[in-house]
Amino acid sequence: MSGTTTAAAALRRRAAGAGANRWAVLVVLCASLLLVAVDATVLHVAVPAVTEDLRPGAMELLWIVDAYPLVCASLLILFGTLGDRVGRRRVLLLGYTLFGVASAVAALADNAQVLIAARALLGVGGAMIMPATLSILRQVFPDRRERALAIGVWSAVAAVGAAAGPLLGGFLLEHFWWGSVFLVNIPLMLVSLPVGRILLPESKGDSDGPWDVTGALMAAAGLFALVLGVKRLGGGEAAGSPWTVLPLLVGAGLLAAFTRRQRRRTHPLIDLRMFARPAFSTSVGCIVLAMLALVGLELIAAQYLQLVLGLSPLDTGLRLLPLTVAAMAAGLAGARMLRRFGPRRMVSAGFCLTAAAVVLLTGMGGRDDWPLLLAGFVLLGFGLETTLFGAYESMLSEAPPEQAGGAAAMGETSYQLGAGIGIALLGSVMNAAYAPGLTGVAGVPASASSAASHSLGEAYEVADRLGGP
């Protein structure tokens, strides 16, 4: 009897992640997350090189950048809840495989259409990987204090990955062609597959009742249509255009129908009662806002440093390095700050620092003011990572363990949704401020002015073709 009890207790500890291996599991999960997060921004510094090589149109260029976060955000709920049913490790390992294959296709793409398709496939792989990492972390760290430290490391890797993307992209572009920013994923995925299979524990959620496939597809289609509508606005499409309004209406309608369906089902895909908890719903909103600021501002900064200041891709990545270091410092200090201040004060302070950084960065002009950039990026990295840490910790602690996959999917949907909206929204603001300045330029044909108004990169190409001052 005693031996049986001891064996059962040991089995429970192993299932919950208690034991020395949980820190090895954290390393594997963070390595997985790093690749997915890096891929969201690694292409930013490569945009000029891709434009020169593949000659995509303005809308194709937006799709090349946005296809990954758009598809990833759409499918996170589907794969997060699927992992709760069939096993989170199984979905994660399948995501590794798909991510590696898609990376090879993207690296060898010879036209814009193939690259867009490969980026979309990368989004599918990312949607399998991201919620699985967070839900497995929730299972292997049942103790809240240890989990706070693990989330600090995890969220630091998420922010650092997004911030380090331009640095890695800049280094690779300095020595290789633009496809190398994707090719680097393949050996890392080949290592992650066997290591993940050996080290990662399998875990499932509450599998009572059938999996709501229809609901999962409704959520995916609704999120896709909603972000597509916002993305078209970011591409300069008129707000009243049917190609903008229709996706927004379809997306909102599908998500409303999905919500109503989940409330009526005995075994819902996602327990929407979690949103009745203010801490959970507020955390989701804060993650959206933080990622909107991080990815949108980073894309603008990468283009500003290259196209306005004339820096090389590697120099651009190095200029963004203080943001990465500050985010890492905030993540590592997050557990201590959480014990002292609590998640509410952390999120509030993080947003205040972010606002101060944005105000500071508005002082950038046509000359290289590196002290201003340094101060702005340090404040931005520390502020956004502090916000993300407090929001993720609060969200996971509010969710019941059996709903870890669904809660992680909501958190990661917020992450990718914020990234997609940030690119579209801030891209729209940039276009609104930039395009009017190129209408009716003296001595320049109207067709050339129209082409140059799409982006600063295209303006440089038009100027090269025209010649003269």
Side-chain angles (χ1 to χ4, degrees), residues 72-91:
C72 193
S74 305
L75 298 177
L76 283 164
I77 291 177
L78 190 153
F79 288 120
T81 55
L82 179 64
D84 283 344
R85 296 302 179 115
V86 304
R88 293 153 186 157
R89 186 186 70 163
R90 183 176 298 175
V91 172

mmCIF file with all atom_site columns, all heavy atoms in Angstrom, residues 72-91:
data_model
loop_
_atom_site.group_PDB
_atom_site.id
_atom_site.type_symbol
_atom_site.label_atom_id
_atom_site.label_alt_id
_atom_site.label_comp_id
_atom_site.label_asym_id
_atom_site.label_entity_id
_atom_site.label_seq_id
_atom_site.pdbx_PDB_ins_code
_atom_site.Cartn_x
_atom_site.Cartn_y
_atom_site.Cartn_z
_atom_site.occupancy
_atom_site.B_iso_or_equiv
_atom_site.pdbx_formal_charge
_atom_site.auth_seq_id
_atom_site.auth_comp_id
_atom_site.auth_asym_id
_atom_site.auth_atom_id
_atom_site.pdbx_PDB_model_num
ATOM 1   N N   . CYS A 1 72 ? -0.753  33.229 -38.168 1.00 0.00 ? 72 CYS A N   1
ATOM 2   C CA  . CYS A 1 72 ? -0.455  32.722 -36.829 1.00 0.00 ? 72 CYS A CA  1
ATOM 3   C C   . CYS A 1 72 ? -1.537  33.137 -35.832 1.00 0.00 ? 72 CYS A C   1
ATOM 4   O O   . CYS A 1 72 ? -2.044  32.320 -35.061 1.00 0.00 ? 72 CYS A O   1
ATOM 5   C CB  . CYS A 1 72 ? 0.906   33.236 -36.388 1.00 0.00 ? 72 CYS A CB  1
ATOM 6   S SG  . CYS A 1 72 ? 1.579   32.403 -34.933 1.00 0.00 ? 72 CYS A SG  1
ATOM 7   N N   . ALA A 1 73 ? -1.936  34.399 -35.855 1.00 0.00 ? 73 ALA A N   1
ATOM 8   C CA  . ALA A 1 73 ? -2.968  34.879 -34.941 1.00 0.00 ? 73 ALA A CA  1
ATOM 9   C C   . ALA A 1 73 ? -4.291  34.170 -35.181 1.00 0.00 ? 73 ALA A C   1
ATOM 10  O O   . ALA A 1 73 ? -5.035  33.871 -34.240 1.00 0.00 ? 73 ALA A O   1
ATOM 11  C CB  . ALA A 1 73 ? -3.144  36.386 -35.100 1.00 0.00 ? 73 ALA A CB  1
ATOM 12  N N   . SER A 1 74 ? -4.597  33.874 -36.454 1.00 0.00 ? 74 SER A N   1
ATOM 13  C CA  . SER A 1 74 ? -5.875  33.248 -36.791 1.00 0.00 ? 74 SER A CA  1
ATOM 14  C C   . SER A 1 74 ? -5.993  31.827 -36.239 1.00 0.00 ? 74 SER A C   1
ATOM 15  O O   . SER A 1 74 ? -7.089  31.388 -35.882 1.00 0.00 ? 74 SER A O   1
ATOM 16  C CB  . SER A 1 74 ? -6.046  33.213 -38.317 1.00 0.00 ? 74 SER A CB  1
ATOM 17  O OG  . SER A 1 74 ? -5.923  34.489 -38.881 1.00 0.00 ? 74 SER A OG  1
ATOM 18  N N   . LEU A 1 75 ? -4.886  31.101 -36.184 1.00 0.00 ? 75 LEU A N   1
ATOM 19  C CA  . LEU A 1 75 ? -4.937  29.671 -35.879 1.00 0.00 ? 75 LEU A CA  1
ATOM 20  C C   . LEU A 1 75 ? -4.537  29.316 -34.458 1.00 0.00 ? 75 LEU A C   1
ATOM 21  O O   . LEU A 1 75 ? -4.555  28.137 -34.087 1.00 0.00 ? 75 LEU A O   1
ATOM 22  C CB  . LEU A 1 75 ? -4.029  28.913 -36.861 1.00 0.00 ? 75 LEU A CB  1
ATOM 23  C CG  . LEU A 1 75 ? -4.413  29.017 -38.341 1.00 0.00 ? 75 LEU A CG  1
ATOM 24  C CD1 . LEU A 1 75 ? -3.391  28.289 -39.202 1.00 0.00 ? 75 LEU A CD1 1
ATOM 25  C CD2 . LEU A 1 75 ? -5.799  28.432 -38.576 1.00 0.00 ? 75 LEU A CD2 1
ATOM 26  N N   . LEU A 1 76 ? -4.179  30.293 -33.637 1.00 0.00 ? 76 LEU A N   1
ATOM 27  C CA  . LEU A 1 76 ? -3.703  29.980 -32.287 1.00 0.00 ? 76 LEU A CA  1
ATOM 28  C C   . LEU A 1 76 ? -4.775  29.314 -31.439 1.00 0.00 ? 76 LEU A C   1
ATOM 29  O O   . LEU A 1 76 ? -4.492  28.368 -30.688 1.00 0.00 ? 76 LEU A O   1
ATOM 30  C CB  . LEU A 1 76 ? -3.215  31.267 -31.604 1.00 0.00 ? 76 LEU A CB  1
ATOM 31  C CG  . LEU A 1 76 ? -1.838  31.748 -32.064 1.00 0.00 ? 76 LEU A CG  1
ATOM 32  C CD1 . LEU A 1 76 ? -1.613  33.194 -31.653 1.00 0.00 ? 76 LEU A CD1 1
ATOM 33  C CD2 . LEU A 1 76 ? -0.731  30.878 -31.512 1.00 0.00 ? 76 LEU A CD2 1
ATOM 34  N N   . ILE A 1 77 ? -6.001  29.794 -31.504 1.00 0.00 ? 77 ILE A N   1
ATOM 35  C CA  . ILE A 1 77 ? -7.074  29.180 -30.720 1.00 0.00 ? 77 ILE A CA  1
ATOM 36  C C   . ILE A 1 77 ? -7.312  27.748 -31.181 1.00 0.00 ? 77 ILE A C   1
ATOM 37  O O   . ILE A 1 77 ? -7.480  26.825 -30.367 1.00 0.00 ? 77 ILE A O   1
ATOM 38  C CB  . ILE A 1 77 ? -8.360  30.015 -30.830 1.00 0.00 ? 77 ILE A CB  1
ATOM 39  C CG1 . ILE A 1 77 ? -8.179  31.353 -30.106 1.00 0.00 ? 77 ILE A CG1 1
ATOM 40  C CG2 . ILE A 1 77 ? -9.559  29.269 -30.261 1.00 0.00 ? 77 ILE A CG2 1
ATOM 41  C CD1 . ILE A 1 77 ? -9.367  32.287 -30.222 1.00 0.00 ? 77 ILE A CD1 1
ATOM 42  N N   . LEU A 1 78 ? -7.298  27.538 -32.503 1.00 0.00 ? 78 LEU A N   1
ATOM 43  C CA  . LEU A 1 78 ? -7.520  26.192 -33.040 1.00 0.00 ? 78 LEU A CA  1
ATOM 44  C C   . LEU A 1 78 ? -6.472  25.216 -32.512 1.00 0.00 ? 78 LEU A C   1
ATOM 45  O O   . LEU A 1 78 ? -6.805  24.159 -31.965 1.00 0.00 ? 78 LEU A O   1
ATOM 46  C CB  . LEU A 1 78 ? -7.502  26.249 -34.568 1.00 0.00 ? 78 LEU A CB  1
ATOM 47  C CG  . LEU A 1 78 ? -7.942  25.000 -35.339 1.00 0.00 ? 78 LEU A CG  1
ATOM 48  C CD1 . LEU A 1 78 ? -8.486  25.409 -36.712 1.00 0.00 ? 78 LEU A CD1 1
ATOM 49  C CD2 . LEU A 1 78 ? -6.783  24.023 -35.558 1.00 0.00 ? 78 LEU A CD2 1
ATOM 50  N N   . PHE A 1 79 ? -5.194  25.561 -32.669 1.00 0.00 ? 79 PHE A N   1
ATOM 51  C CA  . PHE A 1 79 ? -4.141  24.622 -32.271 1.00 0.00 ? 79 PHE A CA  1
ATOM 52  C C   . PHE A 1 79 ? -3.926  24.604 -30.756 1.00 0.00 ? 79 PHE A C   1
ATOM 53  O O   . PHE A 1 79 ? -3.509  23.579 -30.211 1.00 0.00 ? 79 PHE A O   1
ATOM 54  C CB  . PHE A 1 79 ? -2.837  24.961 -32.992 1.00 0.00 ? 79 PHE A CB  1
ATOM 55  C CG  . PHE A 1 79 ? -2.860  24.613 -34.454 1.00 0.00 ? 79 PHE A CG  1
ATOM 56  C CD1 . PHE A 1 79 ? -2.668  25.594 -35.419 1.00 0.00 ? 79 PHE A CD1 1
ATOM 57  C CD2 . PHE A 1 79 ? -3.090  23.318 -34.867 1.00 0.00 ? 79 PHE A CD2 1
ATOM 58  C CE1 . PHE A 1 79 ? -2.704  25.280 -36.766 1.00 0.00 ? 79 PHE A CE1 1
ATOM 59  C CE2 . PHE A 1 79 ? -3.127  22.993 -36.212 1.00 0.00 ? 79 PHE A CE2 1
ATOM 60  C CZ  . PHE A 1 79 ? -2.934  23.977 -37.170 1.00 0.00 ? 79 PHE A CZ  1
ATOM 61  N N   . GLY A 1 80 ? -4.200  25.715 -30.061 1.00 0.00 ? 80 GLY A N   1
ATOM 62  C CA  . GLY A 1 80 ? -4.086  25.698 -28.608 1.00 0.00 ? 80 GLY A CA  1
ATOM 63  C C   . GLY A 1 80 ? -5.063  24.734 -27.969 1.00 0.00 ? 80 GLY A C   1
ATOM 64  O O   . GLY A 1 80 ? -4.713  23.952 -27.078 1.00 0.00 ? 80 GLY A O   1
ATOM 65  N N   . THR A 1 81 ? -6.315  24.774 -28.428 1.00 0.00 ? 81 THR A N   1
ATOM 66  C CA  . THR A 1 81 ? -7.322  23.864 -27.867 1.00 0.00 ? 81 THR A CA  1
ATOM 67  C C   . THR A 1 81 ? -7.148  22.439 -28.395 1.00 0.00 ? 81 THR A C   1
ATOM 68  O O   . THR A 1 81 ? -7.461  21.480 -27.701 1.00 0.00 ? 81 THR A O   1
ATOM 69  C CB  . THR A 1 81 ? -8.736  24.380 -28.200 1.00 0.00 ? 81 THR A CB  1
ATOM 70  O OG1 . THR A 1 81 ? -8.852  24.562 -29.622 1.00 0.00 ? 81 THR A OG1 1
ATOM 71  C CG2 . THR A 1 81 ? -9.007  25.705 -27.515 1.00 0.00 ? 81 THR A CG2 1
ATOM 72  N N   . LEU A 1 82 ? -6.628  22.304 -29.626 1.00 0.00 ? 82 LEU A N   1
ATOM 73  C CA  . LEU A 1 82 ? -6.340  20.957 -30.134 1.00 0.00 ? 82 LEU A CA  1
ATOM 74  C C   . LEU A 1 82 ? -5.263  20.291 -29.278 1.00 0.00 ? 82 LEU A C   1
ATOM 75  O O   . LEU A 1 82 ? -5.337  19.090 -28.979 1.00 0.00 ? 82 LEU A O   1
ATOM 76  C CB  . LEU A 1 82 ? -5.888  21.042 -31.594 1.00 0.00 ? 82 LEU A CB  1
ATOM 77  C CG  . LEU A 1 82 ? -5.531  19.712 -32.260 1.00 0.00 ? 82 LEU A CG  1
ATOM 78  C CD1 . LEU A 1 82 ? -6.749  18.796 -32.344 1.00 0.00 ? 82 LEU A CD1 1
ATOM 79  C CD2 . LEU A 1 82 ? -4.955  19.947 -33.655 1.00 0.00 ? 82 LEU A CD2 1
ATOM 80  N N   . GLY A 1 83 ? -4.268  21.065 -28.861 1.00 0.00 ? 83 GLY A N   1
ATOM 81  C CA  . GLY A 1 83 ? -3.234  20.515 -27.987 1.00 0.00 ? 83 GLY A CA  1
ATOM 82  C C   . GLY A 1 83 ? -3.785  20.026 -26.671 1.00 0.00 ? 83 GLY A C   1
ATOM 83  O O   . GLY A 1 83 ? -3.312  19.022 -26.110 1.00 0.00 ? 83 GLY A O   1
ATOM 84  N N   . ASP A 1 84 ? -4.813  20.714 -26.134 1.00 0.00 ? 84 ASP A N   1
ATOM 85  C CA  . ASP A 1 84 ? -5.452  20.251 -24.909 1.00 0.00 ? 84 ASP A CA  1
ATOM 86  C C   . ASP A 1 84 ? -6.076  18.871 -25.100 1.00 0.00 ? 84 ASP A C   1
ATOM 87  O O   . ASP A 1 84 ? -6.186  18.086 -24.151 1.00 0.00 ? 84 ASP A O   1
ATOM 88  C CB  . ASP A 1 84 ? -6.550  21.232 -24.476 1.00 0.00 ? 84 ASP A CB  1
ATOM 89  C CG  . ASP A 1 84 ? -5.982  22.492 -23.829 1.00 0.00 ? 84 ASP A CG  1
ATOM 90  O OD1 . ASP A 1 84 ? -4.795  22.472 -23.455 1.00 0.00 ? 84 ASP A OD1 1
ATOM 91  O OD2 . ASP A 1 84 ? -6.720  23.477 -23.702 1.00 0.00 ? 84 ASP A OD2 1
ATOM 92  N N   . ARG A 1 85 ? -6.493  18.566 -26.325 1.00 0.00 ? 85 ARG A N   1
ATOM 93  C CA  . ARG A 1 85 ? -7.178  17.299 -26.608 1.00 0.00 ? 85 ARG A CA  1
ATOM 94  C C   . ARG A 1 85 ? -6.224  16.174 -26.984 1.00 0.00 ? 85 ARG A C   1
ATOM 95  O O   . ARG A 1 85 ? -6.292  15.084 -26.427 1.00 0.00 ? 85 ARG A O   1
ATOM 96  C CB  . ARG A 1 85 ? -8.198  17.494 -27.754 1.00 0.00 ? 85 ARG A CB  1
ATOM 97  C CG  . ARG A 1 85 ? -9.335  18.446 -27.425 1.00 0.00 ? 85 ARG A CG  1
ATOM 98  C CD  . ARG A 1 85 ? -10.088 17.962 -26.188 1.00 0.00 ? 85 ARG A CD  1
ATOM 99  N NE  . ARG A 1 85 ? -11.173 18.844 -25.828 1.00 0.00 ? 85 ARG A NE  1
ATOM 100 C CZ  . ARG A 1 85 ? -12.447 18.506 -25.866 1.00 0.00 ? 85 ARG A CZ  1
ATOM 101 N NH1 . ARG A 1 85 ? -12.786 17.296 -26.290 1.00 0.00 ? 85 ARG A NH1 1
ATOM 102 N NH2 . ARG A 1 85 ? -13.374 19.343 -25.470 1.00 0.00 ? 85 ARG A NH2 1
ATOM 103 N N   . VAL A 1 86 ? -5.345  16.428 -27.960 1.00 0.00 ? 86 VAL A N   1
ATOM 104 C CA  . VAL A 1 86 ? -4.526  15.334 -28.491 1.00 0.00 ? 86 VAL A CA  1
ATOM 105 C C   . VAL A 1 86 ? -3.141  15.282 -27.868 1.00 0.00 ? 86 VAL A C   1
ATOM 106 O O   . VAL A 1 86 ? -2.394  14.335 -28.100 1.00 0.00 ? 86 VAL A O   1
ATOM 107 C CB  . VAL A 1 86 ? -4.397  15.439 -30.028 1.00 0.00 ? 86 VAL A CB  1
ATOM 108 C CG1 . VAL A 1 86 ? -5.760  15.461 -30.676 1.00 0.00 ? 86 VAL A CG1 1
ATOM 109 C CG2 . VAL A 1 86 ? -3.588  16.665 -30.430 1.00 0.00 ? 86 VAL A CG2 1
ATOM 110 N N   . GLY A 1 87 ? -2.760  16.291 -27.107 1.00 0.00 ? 87 GLY A N   1
ATOM 111 C CA  . GLY A 1 87 ? -1.443  16.328 -26.484 1.00 0.00 ? 87 GLY A CA  1
ATOM 112 C C   . GLY A 1 87 ? -0.648  17.527 -26.963 1.00 0.00 ? 87 GLY A C   1
ATOM 113 O O   . GLY A 1 87 ? -0.490  17.750 -28.169 1.00 0.00 ? 87 GLY A O   1
ATOM 114 N N   . ARG A 1 88 ? -0.178  18.316 -26.007 1.00 0.00 ? 88 ARG A N   1
ATOM 115 C CA  . ARG A 1 88 ? 0.518   19.562 -26.364 1.00 0.00 ? 88 ARG A CA  1
ATOM 116 C C   . ARG A 1 88 ? 1.883   19.303 -26.972 1.00 0.00 ? 88 ARG A C   1
ATOM 117 O O   . ARG A 1 88 ? 2.309   20.010 -27.891 1.00 0.00 ? 88 ARG A O   1
ATOM 118 C CB  . ARG A 1 88 ? 0.637   20.433 -25.106 1.00 0.00 ? 88 ARG A CB  1
ATOM 119 C CG  . ARG A 1 88 ? -0.709  20.931 -24.625 1.00 0.00 ? 88 ARG A CG  1
ATOM 120 C CD  . ARG A 1 88 ? -0.763  21.212 -23.144 1.00 0.00 ? 88 ARG A CD  1
ATOM 121 N NE  . ARG A 1 88 ? -2.124  21.564 -22.721 1.00 0.00 ? 88 ARG A NE  1
ATOM 122 C CZ  . ARG A 1 88 ? -2.567  21.432 -21.481 1.00 0.00 ? 88 ARG A CZ  1
ATOM 123 N NH1 . ARG A 1 88 ? -1.770  20.973 -20.535 1.00 0.00 ? 88 ARG A NH1 1
ATOM 124 N NH2 . ARG A 1 88 ? -3.807  21.767 -21.186 1.00 0.00 ? 88 ARG A NH2 1
ATOM 125 N N   . ARG A 1 89 ? 2.571   18.296 -26.485 1.00 0.00 ? 89 ARG A N   1
ATOM 126 C CA  . ARG A 1 89 ? 3.884   17.983 -27.051 1.00 0.00 ? 89 ARG A CA  1
ATOM 127 C C   . ARG A 1 89 ? 3.738   17.515 -28.497 1.00 0.00 ? 89 ARG A C   1
ATOM 128 O O   . ARG A 1 89 ? 4.556   17.884 -29.365 1.00 0.00 ? 89 ARG A O   1
ATOM 129 C CB  . ARG A 1 89 ? 4.585   16.907 -26.225 1.00 0.00 ? 89 ARG A CB  1
ATOM 130 C CG  . ARG A 1 89 ? 6.018   16.643 -26.690 1.00 0.00 ? 89 ARG A CG  1
ATOM 131 C CD  . ARG A 1 89 ? 6.669   15.484 -25.985 1.00 0.00 ? 89 ARG A CD  1
ATOM 132 N NE  . ARG A 1 89 ? 6.083   14.216 -26.385 1.00 0.00 ? 89 ARG A NE  1
ATOM 133 C CZ  . ARG A 1 89 ? 6.651   13.032 -26.175 1.00 0.00 ? 89 ARG A CZ  1
ATOM 134 N NH1 . ARG A 1 89 ? 7.797   12.971 -25.544 1.00 0.00 ? 89 ARG A NH1 1
ATOM 135 N NH2 . ARG A 1 89 ? 6.062   11.929 -26.551 1.00 0.00 ? 89 ARG A NH2 1
ATOM 136 N N   . ARG A 1 90 ? 2.705   16.731 -28.770 1.00 0.00 ? 90 ARG A N   1
ATOM 137 C CA  . ARG A 1 90 ? 2.495   16.224 -30.136 1.00 0.00 ? 90 ARG A CA  1
ATOM 138 C C   . ARG A 1 90 ? 2.298   17.379 -31.123 1.00 0.00 ? 90 ARG A C   1
ATOM 139 O O   . ARG A 1 90 ? 2.886   17.402 -32.198 1.00 0.00 ? 90 ARG A O   1
ATOM 140 C CB  . ARG A 1 90 ? 1.273   15.299 -30.139 1.00 0.00 ? 90 ARG A CB  1
ATOM 141 C CG  . ARG A 1 90 ? 0.979   14.652 -31.473 1.00 0.00 ? 90 ARG A CG  1
ATOM 142 C CD  . ARG A 1 90 ? -0.175  13.686 -31.364 1.00 0.00 ? 90 ARG A CD  1
ATOM 143 N NE  . ARG A 1 90 ? 0.130   12.590 -30.445 1.00 0.00 ? 90 ARG A NE  1
ATOM 144 C CZ  . ARG A 1 90 ? -0.740  11.655 -30.085 1.00 0.00 ? 90 ARG A CZ  1
ATOM 145 N NH1 . ARG A 1 90 ? -1.971  11.683 -30.558 1.00 0.00 ? 90 ARG A NH1 1
ATOM 146 N NH2 . ARG A 1 90 ? -0.383  10.704 -29.254 1.00 0.00 ? 90 ARG A NH2 1
ATOM 147 N N   . VAL A 1 91 ? 1.465   18.335 -30.733 1.00 0.00 ? 91 VAL A N   1
ATOM 148 C CA  . VAL A 1 91 ? 1.221   19.496 -31.600 1.00 0.00 ? 91 VAL A CA  1
ATOM 149 C C   . VAL A 1 91 ? 2.497   20.321 -31.754 1.00 0.00 ? 91 VAL A C   1
ATOM 150 O O   . VAL A 1 91 ? 2.821   20.816 -32.839 1.00 0.00 ? 91 VAL A O   1
ATOM 151 C CB  . VAL A 1 91 ? 0.073   20.358 -31.028 1.00 0.00 ? 91 VAL A CB  1
ATOM 152 C CG1 . VAL A 1 91 ? -0.055  21.669 -31.792 1.00 0.00 ? 91 VAL A CG1 1
ATOM 153 C CG2 . VAL A 1 91 ? -1.244  19.590 -31.081 1.00 0.00 ? 91 VAL A CG2 1
#
